[in-house]
């Protein structure tokens, strides 16, 4: 009679020994299009979550309504979330984001392991500024054209095309 009680006690001890308590924090939020119609599909927009105390970044993808949900790292601070931020990384189409709407802080919901964004991440599908401003135009860089110049040389000389060695100026004679 004592044997079944021992087996039951052993079974419960083994079952409880395998249970690992882990802290899992869930972040939910949404994105908002400022120049879209009501039925615009917001699916596929990538949102990045970064907490200053955590090295691992969290990534989320929105559904068609603009909602996203992701698991945060286990060592996310529970005392305050002022050091965690979300930002829009990109989407299936080009998005325009103003600097003031680019980042949103997150905060913890009361008595739960859930977080949410302070305000929705906002974006435009077209340039929100006037075209005269030029803010939506790609910035010019100092990198020149990648076109190659190929000078005509006779084929019978058996040399490689001049574009292979004209831009290269060897430094010879420096010890």
């Amino acid at each position: 009679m004592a044997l079944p009680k021992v087996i039951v006690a052993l079974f419960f001890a083994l079952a409880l020994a395998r249970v690992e308590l882990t802290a899992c924090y869930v972040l939910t939020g949404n994105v908002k299009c400022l120049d879209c119609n009501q039925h615009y599909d917001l699916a596929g927009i990538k949102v990045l979550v970064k907490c200053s105390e955590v090295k691992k970044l969290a990534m989320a993808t929105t559904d068609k309504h603009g909602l996203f949900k992701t698991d945060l790292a286990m060592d996310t601070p529970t005392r305050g979330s002022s050091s965690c931020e979300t930002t829009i990384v990109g989407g299936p189409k080009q998005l325009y984001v103003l600097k003031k709407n680019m980042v949103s802080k997150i905060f913890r919901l009361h008595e739960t392991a859930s977080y949410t964004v302070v305000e929705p991440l906002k974006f435009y599908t077209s340039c929100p500024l006037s075209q005269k401003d030029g803010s939506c135009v790609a910035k010019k860089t100092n990198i020149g054209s990648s076109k190659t110049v190929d000078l005509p040389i006779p084929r019978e000389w058996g040399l490689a095309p001049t574009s292979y060695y004209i831009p290269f100026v060897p430094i010879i004679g420096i010890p």
Side-chain angles (χ1 to χ4, degrees):
M1 287 180 103
L3 186 60
K5 290 182 180 178
V6 171
I7 292 174
V8 170
L10 183 62
F11 177 75
F12 281 121
L14 289 175
L16 293 176
R18 294 190 180 264
V19 174
E20 295 179 15
L21 298 175
T22 59
C24 182
Y25 301 103
V26 177
L27 170 71
T28 56
N30 61 338
V31 297
K32 182 178 179 183
C33 180
L34 297 175
D35 63 348
C36 302
N37 61 16
Q38 189 175 16
H39 303 292
Y40 188 79
D41 186 13
L42 297 171
I45 296 172
K46 303 287 185 185
V47 177
L48 183 72
V49 182
K50 171 69 177 127
C51 293
S52 62
E53 294 88 12
V54 181
K55 291 183 181 179
K56 187 176 179 184
L57 301 175
M59 181 72 81
T61 305
T62 60
D63 63 4
K64 69 178 186 174
H65 302 292
L67 301 173
F68 62 89
K69 186 177 192 179
T70 186
D71 293 331
L72 296 176
M74 289 193 317
D75 53 348
T76 302
T78 57
R79 62 187 182 280
S81 60
S82 60
S83 61
C84 295
E85 298 177 336
T86 59
T87 185
I88 293 178
V89 179
K93 297 177 184 169
Q94 184 171 0
L95 305 175
Y96 297 92
V97 181
L98 298 177
K99 285 186 179 183
K100 66 179 181 180
N101 299 334
M102 184 177 261
V103 175
S104 180
K105 302 270 187 197
I106 67 171
F107 69 95
R108 187 173 185 173
L109 298 175
H110 301 287
E111 304 290 328
T112 63
S114 297
Y115 287 84
T116 188
V117 293
V118 173
E119 60 183 24
L121 295 167
K122 300 171 187 167
F123 68 94
Y124 296 92
T125 56
S126 61
C127 184
L129 305 173
S130 67
Q131 296 299 328
K132 293 179 182 176
D133 185 5
S135 298
C136 292
V137 180
K139 304 287 186 216
K140 291 185 178 183
T141 62
N142 293 333
I143 300 174
S145 172
S146 63
K147 290 183 179 181
T148 58
V149 177
D150 199 13
L151 300 175
I153 57 173
R155 289 188 177 171
E156 45 287 335
W157 289 4
L159 297 173
T162 56
S163 60
Y164 288 170
Y165 51 87
I166 290 295
F168 176 71
V169 179
I171 300 173
I172 302 173
I174 299 177

